Amino acid sequence: LFRGAVSGPISDRVAAGLTLLRIDSDGYTDSLVTGETLNGEETWGIRGAVNAQPADGWEWNLSADWVDQQKTTIGTTPLDREYTSRTGLRTGECDNGTINDFLGNCARTQVGTVISNLSHTMDWATVSFITGYINTGQDFSLDFGTGGSPSPFGGFTISNEVRSEQFTQEVKLVGEIGRLNWVAGAFYFTEDNETYQVDTFATTPTATTALVLGDRLLENSTNSFAIYAQGDFALTDRLTVTLGGRYT
């Protein structure tokens, strides 16, 4: 395990930070079929952040990160106080996705995000442009077969490939007029998801081919737009009336 970070000012108007993460584990589960050690982990991640004040009244906070986590997964419950697996799936890299490399016993998740908040303070209000983006890829194969199968297809194996992409954009105004504090804005959200799943079953413990029980592709997308406004009016020092609304 390694984790390191560095941050500090770059100039009078710019500060930045960088964080690194690395995990490398051999695993703790022995495969009784292949002799491999499972439940290991290889993870690395990086995150950068910048705070800038390009001009008077302007501030920009920007951050981005990327995490790549790869594991193998346990097959059965503990035996003789040691974790063991009886699956015939071999350790795989998941480099090409679990459907193409579904002989591999693996679970891999890759996530990247970008977040931006650009704000400008004026005499009557502060306007903020808030942007977010996330891209997720997840691949995994799991053998749910019981009793063990030395077949490279495992026993009853489910392999998934998931891809997800989200984007959000918000424009927000915040202000104060006398006893009235108010906020108003607009929000946009879009998302695309794709899940590919294949279920296979080894008809015999030493099968060289597998019966395909399921082969399905699920795609869905979401688009959303909203506007909102809210005001808090202080009737007295101890009594405030709030009125707000949102349309999505």
Side-chain angles (χ1 to χ4, degrees), residues 67-78:
V67 177
D68 186 346
Q69 181 187 62
Q70 183 167 296
K71 292 183 175 182
T72 53
T73 48
I74 192 169
T76 60
T77 55

Side-chain angles (χ1 to χ4, degrees), residues 4-6 17-21 44-50 62-67 113 115:
V6 60
L18 182 67
T19 302
L20 297 175
L21 170 68
W44 70 270
I46 184 171
R47 182 181 188 275
V50 176
L62 177 67
S63 66
D65 60 70
W66 172 260
V67 177
T113 63
I115 300 174

Side-chain angles (χ1 to χ4, degrees), residues 41-42 65 69 88 113 176 180 196 221 228:
E41 178 180 356
E42 290 186 18
D65 60 70
Q69 181 187 62
T113 63
E176 180 178 354
L180 176 65
Y196 184 30
S221 61
Y228 61 90

Side-chain angles (χ1 to χ4, degrees), residues 54-130:
D56 292 342
W58 287 90
E59 183 176 10
W60 188 23
N61 287 287
L62 177 67
S63 66
D65 60 70
W66 172 260
V67 177
D68 186 346
Q69 181 187 62
Q70 183 167 296
K71 292 183 175 182
T72 53
T73 48
I74 192 169
T76 60
T77 55
L79 176 66
D80 297 330
R81 298 184 180 181
E82 293 184 1
Y83 283 100
T84 58
S85 173
R86 296 180 183 274
T87 181
L89 294 178
R90 273 60 172 172
T91 300
E93 297 295 332
C94 285
D95 288 339
N96 299 318
T98 53
I99 305 301
N100 291 327
D101 296 339
F102 77 99
L103 299 186
N105 179 27
C106 59
R108 187 173 190 177
T109 301
Q110 297 172 300
V111 181
T113 63
V114 178
I115 300 174
S116 171
N117 188 347
L118 176 64
S119 62
H120 177 48
T121 300
M122 301 169 286
D123 294 337
W124 59 280
T126 297
V127 58
S128 299
F129 303 90
I130 306 169

Side-chain angles (χ1 to χ4, degrees), residues 28-40:
Y28 58 88
T29 302
D30 294 325
S31 171
L32 302 180
V33 177
T34 67
E36 295 176 320
T37 300
L38 305 178
N39 270 17

